[in-house]
Amino acid sequence: MSTPQEVKARLNAERQGTPFLIYRDDSGAQRIHGLQGTTTIGRRAERDVALTWDSEVSRLHAQLEPVGPDWTVVDDGLSRNGTFVNGERVNGRRRLRDGDRLVCGETPIVFRAPGDVSDSTAAITVERTVPLTETQRRILIALCRPLQDSAYATPATNKDIAAEVHLSVDAVKAHLRAIFERFGLGELPQNQKRARLAATALAGGVVKQHEF
């Protein structure tokens, strides 16, 4: 769970209005890295985002590059184990949106772009403004549960969620449709909704570790 100091640091970074990354180091401490130009991610200490403790990260793992007003992550064979965005492996270049969850090695990294209003998942704001019923919250926790054990995991299937919350698969689907709409994800392609919802919930602490 985030400390009050960590929440304050995130809010200060948001107020600046420029894109940044949030991740935790090997001691569990929150780190915030502001993005200005091409940013390298890797295991070597000289990288801009140096994940020196993660043995699954390559020496030069990936790069973040600005393209006009947008940011992209690039991994065109740089890494040994791949770079993932919301559970999908990056092949070449992929545009990033506010709230996207990157994984390099075993380290999750959240991309924030506070000024990107049209695409924002604004995880911290979501927690304050999106009302969820008790059943919807249990479904959201079940959806995110696989991600607590592995950074490479994908969100739970409808069948797995149904078994955990003791509902039918059709009932789970109906609740998820409502949750997608409440999080502003209803217009996303169907194959992106689940990963984006899980990334948003985890990135902003909407679903907390002690709830698993």
Side-chain angles (χ1 to χ4, degrees):
M1 295 179 62
S2 297
T3 65
Q5 292 78 11
E6 289 174 339
V7 172
K8 182 179 179 180
R10 291 201 300 267
L11 291 174
N12 287 338
E14 286 186 342
R15 290 190 187 103
Q16 294 180 22
T18 56
F20 60 93
L21 302 175
I22 308 175
Y23 60 100
R24 293 188 180 274
D25 62 21
D26 55 336
S27 70
Q30 174 180 277
R31 296 199 183 184
I32 295 177
H33 181 89
L35 296 173
Q36 295 181 342
T38 298
T39 301
T40 58
I41 300 174
R43 197 171 71 251
R44 285 187 169 176
E46 63 265 27
R47 304 304 176 205
D48 299 311
V49 178
L51 309 178
T52 55
W53 61 88
D54 192 334
S55 61
E56 298 300 315
V57 171
S58 298
R59 290 176 294 178
L60 176 58
H61 196 97
Q63 293 188 163
L64 271 66
E65 298 178 354
V67 179
D70 299 319
W71 278 85
T72 62
V73 58
V74 182
D75 185 343
D76 50 5
L78 291 174
S79 67
R80 180 178 69 253
N81 295 318
T83 301
F84 296 78
V85 176
N86 298 334
E88 298 180 3
R89 185 163 185 162
V90 175
N91 294 305
R93 182 187 300 271
R94 174 164 173 163
R95 179 191 173 197
L96 295 175
R97 299 173 184 270
D98 181 37
D100 277 347
R101 183 176 187 265
L102 291 79
V103 175
C104 297
E106 289 291 340
T107 304
I109 303 172
V110 177
F111 171 78
R112 290 301 321 275
D116 194 359
V117 178
S118 61
D119 293 328
S120 176
T121 53
I124 294 175
T125 302
V126 163
E127 185 177 9
R128 295 172 180 165
T129 60
V130 175
L132 295 174
T133 67
E134 181 179 349
T135 298
Q136 288 171 343
R137 185 161 190 83
R138 288 194 293 120
I139 287 172
L140 184 58
I141 292 168
L143 178 77
C144 297
R145 188 177 299 283
L147 299 175
Q148 71 165 326
D149 296 321
S150 172
Y152 292 104
T154 56
T157 65
N158 289 338
K159 183 178 180 181
D160 290 338
I161 295 172
E164 177 171 334
V165 301
H166 306 294
L167 291 173
S168 68
V169 171
D170 286 341
V172 168
K173 289 179 179 179
H175 280 296
L176 279 173
R177 284 194 294 270
I179 297 171
F180 292 144
E181 292 297 329
R182 291 191 177 192
F183 277 74
L185 304 177
E187 300 303 316
L188 282 180
Q190 195 63 35
N191 63 351
Q192 296 180 21
K193 289 180 179 180
R194 302 167 70 84
R196 178 63 70 82
L197 176 59
T200 301
L202 290 168
V206 179
V207 171
K208 298 177 173 63
Q209 187 67 30
H210 73 274
E211 295 181 284
F212 290 123

